[in-house]
Amino acid sequence: IDHGAVRELRLARPPVNALDPALMSALRGALAAAVQERREAVVLSGAPGRFSGGLDVPALLKLDREGIRAAWTEFFGLMRDIATSDIPTVAALTGHSPAGGTVLALFTDFRVMAEGPFMVGLNEVQVGLAVPAVLLQALTYVVGSRQAERLAVGGLLMGPAEALRCGLVDQLASVEEVIPRAVAWAQELLTRPRAAMLATRRLARRPLARAFDELDARALDAIVDQWFAPEPQATLRALAARLKKTE
């Protein structure tokens, strides 16, 4: 959906816009297309009440080691694409955005979250997974070292007011106004002299890009090993069972 020079990419994988390899690949392609088609900014949005439920845990639990490695590679590739995008990106958090939904938002330039009974945060620890270094660095970039430690180590999920207070999101709006506010922020940014704005943006966001420098094959293997460890598997399978009951 184009709003002038701003392209909105709306996640549409009911019921919760869970991130599976196919959706992540499609999103990477759409981001690249926006740049190629000379859009000047991108807004990532979801459905009212639900931005993204994060990684599709039930689907990932069916994959073997090779499949999980490919899924994590795609996931980190998407985050790198957002972090290093040549054009500004904005997250319109239209509702619940736990785990992978929050990760998507972390790498954007600006985050607008819907007011209401919605949750955001990196709750990986609660499901038995350590937060990967690259994601912890991104969280630190956004909220600062002390808050990043508190949020990540505790695996905390929080509502809109707390997310705004600690800097995890930048602005709150009603569910109906989240996307218009995100588009408006992008459009206002685009009124700046373009070359100066983009050059300064690249410098400011360099820590996000550098966060991926240590994500080599060894680091990825460690993440895959952790996924298949007994504690995470037991916790993730219990989570998948709970999700199935709520369908």
Side-chain angles (χ1 to χ4, degrees):
I1 305 168
D2 285 339
H3 307 266
V6 179
R7 175 159 297 176
E8 179 191 348
L9 302 178
R10 187 169 297 179
L11 301 177
R13 185 173 181 253
V16 298
N17 292 332
L19 300 170
D20 68 346
L23 178 57
M24 291 187 285
S25 178
L27 189 50
R28 295 184 74 183
L31 285 166
V35 174
Q36 291 167 0
E37 294 167 18
R38 299 185 181 280
R39 298 301 89 193
E40 296 180 19
V42 163
V43 169
L44 303 178
S45 68
R50 179 69 67 175
F51 175 66
S52 173
L55 289 172
D56 189 340
V57 171
L60 295 184
L61 284 171
K62 298 174 183 177
L63 300 178
D64 60 12
R65 184 180 178 88
E66 183 178 342
I68 286 295
R69 198 178 199 282
W72 278 110
T73 299
E74 193 70 35
F75 179 71
F76 289 123
L78 172 58
M79 301 313 145
R80 186 196 293 264
D81 289 351
I82 297 172
T84 62
S85 173
D86 290 335
I87 60 176
T89 57
V90 186
L93 303 178
T94 48
H96 289 298
S97 315
T102 297
V103 173
L104 267 180
L106 279 178
F107 289 96
T108 64
D109 296 57
F110 195 79
R111 289 154 288 279
V112 182
M113 184 176 181
E115 296 172 317
F118 307 122
M119 304 301 285
V120 64
L122 299 185
N123 62 325
E124 281 78 357
V125 164
Q126 289 198 41
V127 296
L129 294 171
V131 177
V134 62
L135 304 188
L136 186 57
Q137 288 178 58
L139 182 62
T140 301
Y141 172 83
V142 172
V143 302
S145 299
R146 178 66 190 105
Q147 288 289 1
E149 178 188 351
R150 182 178 75 89
L151 301 182
V153 174
L156 301 182
L157 291 174
M158 68 200 79
E162 172 67 6
L164 181 67
R165 187 193 69 78
C166 72
L168 189 57
V169 302
D170 300 296
Q171 189 178 121
L172 302 182
S174 66
V175 173
E176 297 79 15
E177 284 296 310
V178 170
I179 293 172
R181 291 276 190 90
V183 170
W185 185 88
Q187 290 174 333
E188 201 275 334
L189 182 65
L190 295 178
T191 65
R192 307 296 192 274
R194 184 169 175 78
M197 182 271 287
L198 292 178
T200 304
R201 176 181 173 271
R202 279 193 297 273
L203 287 173
R205 290 171 62 79
R206 191 174 289 173
L208 279 179
R210 286 178 173 168
F212 291 90
D213 291 348
E214 298 175 16
L215 189 64
D216 56 13
R218 182 179 297 180
L220 192 57
D221 284 340
I223 292 169
V224 174
D225 288 343
Q226 182 196 188
W227 176 271
F228 286 105
E231 184 180 58
Q233 280 290 301
T235 309
L236 289 165
R237 291 186 184 282
L239 171 62
R242 290 197 302 272
L243 292 172
K244 188 173 183 180
K245 289 180 181 179
T246 61
E247 289 179 354

